[in-house]
Amino acid sequence: MDTEQLITEMKGHRTDDAQAMSAYLRNQFPFLGLKSVARRNIAKPYFKEAKQEARAQSKVNPDTPIIDWNFVQECWQQEEREFQYVATDYLNDMQTYLKKDDINHLKKLITTKSWWDSVDALVKRVGYLQTQYPELKETIIEWSVSDDLWLRRVAIIHQLSMKEATDTQLLTRTIMNNLGSNEFFINKAIGWALRDYARINEEWVKNFLRQYQTELAPLSIREASKHINM
């Protein structure tokens, strides 16, 4: 994949939406002004080529690392926020080629240029790895007590949309490790994780809320019970 060409092409599509998009994220990052559809249309042929190369390479040697982490890092180093989105889009497309040790690459991305947009875009990649490599549960538990709030957030919500496959013991552990937090993004994550699982097992979530109602933040309870008749 021609990383330099992709970067040049994206920079050639700047729009007047850049300022408003930056303001939406509290002016923490500059933008090109590319909406998601435009960004993905530009990247689509590059990703198609990358997947073709990956399929060919995996047939020759299935154990060979496939993910182009140099490309991901190059995107992450670019100033404009859309490049971080391109990197997360690429990892989404290439998810099935992720290997156990790639959890360390994901950790670096989560803790670099961190905000909810980039972090949440990586959540399901972490969840995928945890289901493929159950031993990574210990890593998730370590993240749930990290000094880095974004690692803790990912630990709490990495099982989103897993439905019946949700590991309730792991969900409980990651939430319990964060009770008493004053961090908005942590308490929001707790509520989000519980609300998501309530779609599959409402009674379990009700019982959890009753059991820990004095320890859960009001924000977590509000988020968790949005679609629950308590």
Side-chain angles (χ1 to χ4, degrees):
M1 183 164 51
D2 193 331
T3 304
E4 184 176 347
Q5 183 177 330
L6 173 55
I7 291 173
T8 299
E9 186 173 349
M10 285 185 61
K11 288 185 176 181
H13 286 78
R14 294 178 185 272
T15 77
D16 294 336
D17 292 323
Q19 186 173 354
M21 293 173 74
S22 181
Y24 179 66
L25 293 186
R26 301 181 183 178
N27 296 308
Q28 295 185 90
F29 312 99
F31 276 78
L32 295 171
L34 287 174
K35 299 295 178 63
S36 58
V37 173
R39 182 187 78 241
R40 286 169 180 155
N41 284 339
I42 292 172
K44 186 175 180 179
Y46 295 91
F47 290 176
K48 181 179 180 180
E49 177 187 351
K51 285 188 283 189
Q52 288 173 342
E53 292 174 352
R55 284 193 290 269
Q57 187 175 343
S58 63
K59 288 180 180 178
V60 174
N61 188 348
D63 296 325
T64 301
I66 302 292
I67 302 293
D68 188 348
W69 288 107
N70 289 329
F71 166 72
V72 173
Q73 288 300 327
E74 185 67 26
C75 287
W76 223 260
Q77 289 168 9
Q78 300 299 311
E79 290 187 359
E80 293 87 356
R81 194 61 165 168
E82 286 92 343
F83 289 108
Q84 283 86 70
Y85 299 160
V86 166
T88 58
D89 288 343
Y90 166 78
L91 291 173
N92 180 38
D93 276 13
M94 302 290 284
Q95 175 173 274
T96 56
Y97 296 104
L98 288 169
K99 302 295 184 183
K100 178 183 174 181
D101 289 345
D102 289 333
I103 195 73
N104 296 317
H105 289 291
L106 294 177
K107 179 181 180 180
K108 184 176 181 180
L109 299 181
I110 291 166
T111 56
T112 307
K113 295 188 177 180
S114 310
W115 198 241
W116 64 265
D117 56 333
S118 61
V119 171
D120 290 0
L122 295 166
V123 163
K124 290 189 177 180
R125 309 295 81 75
V126 174
Y128 171 81
L129 279 179
Q130 189 274 118
T131 57
Q132 295 298 307
Y133 305 96
E135 61 269 30
L136 288 177
K137 288 180 183 179
E138 292 304 315
T139 298
I140 296 298
I141 292 170
E142 289 175 8
W143 286 12
S144 73
V145 294
S146 170
D147 291 335
D148 188 285
L149 77 91
W150 301 108
L151 288 176
R152 285 188 280 131
R153 179 175 171 88
V154 171
I156 294 166
I157 62 176
H158 80 282
Q159 295 192 86
L160 289 175
S161 302
M162 288 191 184
K163 300 181 179 180
E164 292 87 352
T166 300
D167 183 333
T168 54
Q169 289 186 340
L170 184 57
L171 176 61
T172 299
R173 181 97 175 259
T174 57
I175 291 176
M176 292 291 292
N177 284 345
N178 286 277
L179 292 179
S181 174
N182 293 320
E183 290 284 357
F184 170 84
F185 288 109
I186 295 300
N187 291 328
K188 186 87 169 179
I190 291 172
W192 186 7
L194 291 171
R195 185 175 75 245
D196 181 75
Y197 188 56
R199 297 170 182 167
I200 302 301
N201 194 337
E202 184 174 309
E203 284 305 311
W204 187 94
V205 174
K206 283 182 177 179
N207 290 333
F208 188 95
L209 292 175
R210 292 189 187 101
Q211 184 174 356
Y212 299 107
Q213 61 181 326
T214 61
E215 299 172 73
L216 287 162
L219 173 60
S220 300
I221 295 173
R222 286 198 305 273
E223 288 294 319
S225 58
K226 274 185 176 178
H227 307 298
I228 296 176
N229 181 6
M230 294 295 289

